[in-house]
Amino acid sequence: MAHSIVRLSPKYATDRFRWMSLGDTESNWFDRHVMAVYREPKHQFNLRLASAGFPLSMAPMRLARLIWQTIGSWPFRLVSGFDVETLKRARNPGFYDPWDPDEVTLHNPDYFGLFKAKLDWTMVRCMDVRQKWIGNRDYSVSDHAYLMVKVTPDTPEKIENTHEVWLTRRRQWQPNASAPYRRTTIGVSILIAIITIITQLVIHLTS
């Protein structure tokens, strides 16, 4: 859980993406940068994750790939903080989640209703979700909603075409796809504006 007022917590969201993902929710950020990147042989590294930090997050993927191929991985490692091995492993082998990235599953009353998030995922692979349920919507039993799905195993033919089936199911269960990049871009732009104003104010007061 790394958005909303949790960004100010000394316990949670303590890495650089506390601020570099400003304007986005944790679930949408994870869905777009990890779940949406399929582990295919022609792309050995997760460049969406590598370029997750500003200013690389504003570059089209083709440009990010060109930069990687031209001058290497060091700008991405410097900005994102992820090493090459992590970027290689952080590719989706075919899991999908039959819930929208904005589906709220956590609501803790300790935060006075200011923090709600999708903290729970149902990772499904080589199975077809036929029905799904979500319960404890009033959060009377726990601060988490429960997720339940009914699945059937895939046929050998579908398993042979895992990539195509995975794409179809992501479109099926997430018709609106992930949150657009502009949310993160707007958030980061606001952060830069605030830092610039504070810097200018400090310079003015100390001059």
Side-chain angles (χ1 to χ4, degrees), residues 192-206:
I192 291 173
I194 292 172
I195 292 174
T196 302
I197 292 171
I198 293 174
T199 302
Q200 292 298 321
L201 182 60
V202 170
I203 293 173
H204 176 74
L205 292 175
T206 56

mmCIF file of all heavy atoms in Angstrom, residues 192-206:
data_model
loop_
_atom_site.group_PDB
_atom_site.id
_atom_site.type_symbol
_atom_site.label_atom_id
_atom_site.label_comp_id
_atom_site.label_asym_id
_atom_site.label_seq_id
_atom_site.Cartn_x
_atom_site.Cartn_y
_atom_site.Cartn_z
ATOM 1 N N ILE A 192 7.577 18.240 -8.918
ATOM 2 C CA ILE A 192 8.694 19.073 -9.376
ATOM 3 C C ILE A 192 8.387 20.549 -9.156
ATOM 4 O O ILE A 192 9.256 21.333 -8.735
ATOM 5 C CB ILE A 192 8.984 18.789 -10.861
ATOM 6 C CG1 ILE A 192 9.556 17.382 -11.028
ATOM 7 C CG2 ILE A 192 9.964 19.814 -11.433
ATOM 8 C CD1 ILE A 192 9.720 16.957 -12.455
ATOM 9 N N ALA A 193 7.140 20.958 -9.415
ATOM 10 C CA ALA A 193 6.753 22.357 -9.212
ATOM 11 C C ALA A 193 6.875 22.747 -7.742
ATOM 12 O O ALA A 193 7.376 23.834 -7.414
ATOM 13 C CB ALA A 193 5.320 22.572 -9.703
ATOM 14 N N ILE A 194 6.448 21.841 -6.853
ATOM 15 C CA ILE A 194 6.535 22.119 -5.416
ATOM 16 C C ILE A 194 7.992 22.245 -4.975
ATOM 17 O O ILE A 194 8.361 23.162 -4.233
ATOM 18 C CB ILE A 194 5.811 21.015 -4.615
ATOM 19 C CG1 ILE A 194 4.305 21.073 -4.873
ATOM 20 C CG2 ILE A 194 6.100 21.159 -3.118
ATOM 21 C CD1 ILE A 194 3.536 19.923 -4.276
ATOM 22 N N ILE A 195 8.837 21.303 -5.441
ATOM 23 C CA ILE A 195 10.260 21.344 -5.086
ATOM 24 C C ILE A 195 10.902 22.631 -5.601
ATOM 25 O O ILE A 195 11.702 23.270 -4.905
ATOM 26 C CB ILE A 195 10.989 20.108 -5.654
ATOM 27 C CG1 ILE A 195 10.501 18.835 -4.942
ATOM 28 C CG2 ILE A 195 12.504 20.253 -5.489
ATOM 29 C CD1 ILE A 195 11.056 17.565 -5.540
ATOM 30 N N THR A 196 10.530 23.038 -6.822
ATOM 31 C CA THR A 196 11.084 24.270 -7.402
ATOM 32 C C THR A 196 10.689 25.486 -6.577
ATOM 33 O O THR A 196 11.515 26.358 -6.287
ATOM 34 C CB THR A 196 10.597 24.438 -8.851
ATOM 35 O OG1 THR A 196 10.981 23.296 -9.619
ATOM 36 C CG2 THR A 196 11.189 25.697 -9.478
ATOM 37 N N ILE A 197 9.430 25.543 -6.175
ATOM 38 C CA ILE A 197 8.946 26.676 -5.376
ATOM 39 C C ILE A 197 9.659 26.735 -4.030
ATOM 40 O O ILE A 197 10.105 27.802 -3.589
ATOM 41 C CB ILE A 197 7.416 26.575 -5.179
ATOM 42 C CG1 ILE A 197 6.704 26.787 -6.516
ATOM 43 C CG2 ILE A 197 6.938 27.601 -4.145
ATOM 44 C CD1 ILE A 197 5.216 26.495 -6.468
ATOM 45 N N ILE A 198 9.783 25.579 -3.383
ATOM 46 C CA ILE A 198 10.452 25.535 -2.078
ATOM 47 C C ILE A 198 11.916 25.944 -2.217
ATOM 48 O O ILE A 198 12.450 26.696 -1.395
ATOM 49 C CB ILE A 198 10.335 24.125 -1.459
ATOM 50 C CG1 ILE A 198 8.877 23.823 -1.105
ATOM 51 C CG2 ILE A 198 11.223 24.008 -0.218
ATOM 52 C CD1 ILE A 198 8.649 22.410 -0.617
ATOM 53 N N THR A 199 12.573 25.451 -3.272
ATOM 54 C CA THR A 199 13.982 25.806 -3.505
ATOM 55 C C THR A 199 14.153 27.306 -3.713
ATOM 56 O O THR A 199 15.047 27.933 -3.135
ATOM 57 C CB THR A 199 14.519 25.047 -4.733
ATOM 58 O OG1 THR A 199 14.371 23.645 -4.530
ATOM 59 C CG2 THR A 199 15.997 25.371 -4.958
ATOM 60 N N GLN A 200 13.285 27.888 -4.522
ATOM 61 C CA GLN A 200 13.353 29.323 -4.773
ATOM 62 C C GLN A 200 13.077 30.118 -3.506
ATOM 63 O O GLN A 200 13.710 31.163 -3.258
ATOM 64 C CB GLN A 200 12.350 29.713 -5.871
ATOM 65 C CG GLN A 200 12.686 29.179 -7.248
ATOM 66 C CD GLN A 200 14.009 29.700 -7.781
ATOM 67 O OE1 GLN A 200 14.354 30.867 -7.591
ATOM 68 N NE2 GLN A 200 14.776 28.830 -8.434
ATOM 69 N N LEU A 201 12.172 29.614 -2.688
ATOM 70 C CA LEU A 201 11.849 30.292 -1.432
ATOM 71 C C LEU A 201 13.039 30.260 -0.481
ATOM 72 O O LEU A 201 13.370 31.281 0.149
ATOM 73 C CB LEU A 201 10.629 29.637 -0.785
ATOM 74 C CG LEU A 201 10.128 30.254 0.535
ATOM 75 C CD1 LEU A 201 9.722 31.709 0.327
ATOM 76 C CD2 LEU A 201 8.965 29.435 1.078
ATOM 77 N N VAL A 202 13.693 29.117 -0.402
ATOM 78 C CA VAL A 202 14.869 28.976 0.461
ATOM 79 C C VAL A 202 15.989 29.901 -0.017
ATOM 80 O O VAL A 202 16.645 30.586 0.790
ATOM 81 C CB VAL A 202 15.351 27.512 0.499
ATOM 82 C CG1 VAL A 202 16.701 27.405 1.200
ATOM 83 C CG2 VAL A 202 14.318 26.640 1.205
ATOM 84 N N ILE A 203 16.200 29.941 -1.319
ATOM 85 C CA ILE A 203 17.235 30.819 -1.881
ATOM 86 C C ILE A 203 16.936 32.279 -1.569
ATOM 87 O O ILE A 203 17.815 33.072 -1.201
ATOM 88 C CB ILE A 203 17.356 30.595 -3.411
ATOM 89 C CG1 ILE A 203 17.895 29.207 -3.702
ATOM 90 C CG2 ILE A 203 18.250 31.665 -4.037
ATOM 91 C CD1 ILE A 203 17.889 28.844 -5.179
ATOM 92 N N HIS A 204 15.655 32.637 -1.703
ATOM 93 C CA HIS A 204 15.243 34.018 -1.438
ATOM 94 C C HIS A 204 15.446 34.401 0.030
ATOM 95 O O HIS A 204 15.910 35.506 0.341
ATOM 96 C CB HIS A 204 13.774 34.201 -1.836
ATOM 97 C CG HIS A 204 13.231 35.565 -1.504
ATOM 98 N ND1 HIS A 204 13.564 36.686 -2.227
ATOM 99 C CD2 HIS A 204 12.369 35.963 -0.521
ATOM 100 C CE1 HIS A 204 12.950 37.726 -1.707
ATOM 101 N NE2 HIS A 204 12.198 37.311 -0.687
ATOM 102 N N LEU A 205 15.128 33.466 0.935
ATOM 103 C CA LEU A 205 15.220 33.761 2.352
ATOM 104 C C LEU A 205 16.664 33.796 2.846
ATOM 105 O O LEU A 205 16.975 34.447 3.840
ATOM 106 C CB LEU A 205 14.435 32.709 3.153
ATOM 107 C CG LEU A 205 12.907 32.736 2.982
ATOM 108 C CD1 LEU A 205 12.271 31.586 3.730
ATOM 109 C CD2 LEU A 205 12.317 34.065 3.446
ATOM 110 N N THR A 206 17.537 33.045 2.162
ATOM 111 C CA THR A 206 18.932 32.992 2.610
ATOM 112 C C THR A 206 19.836 33.976 1.880
ATOM 113 O O THR A 206 21.015 34.096 2.215
ATOM 114 C CB THR A 206 19.482 31.566 2.398
ATOM 115 O OG1 THR A 206 19.334 31.181 1.029
ATOM 116 C CG2 THR A 206 18.768 30.576 3.297
#
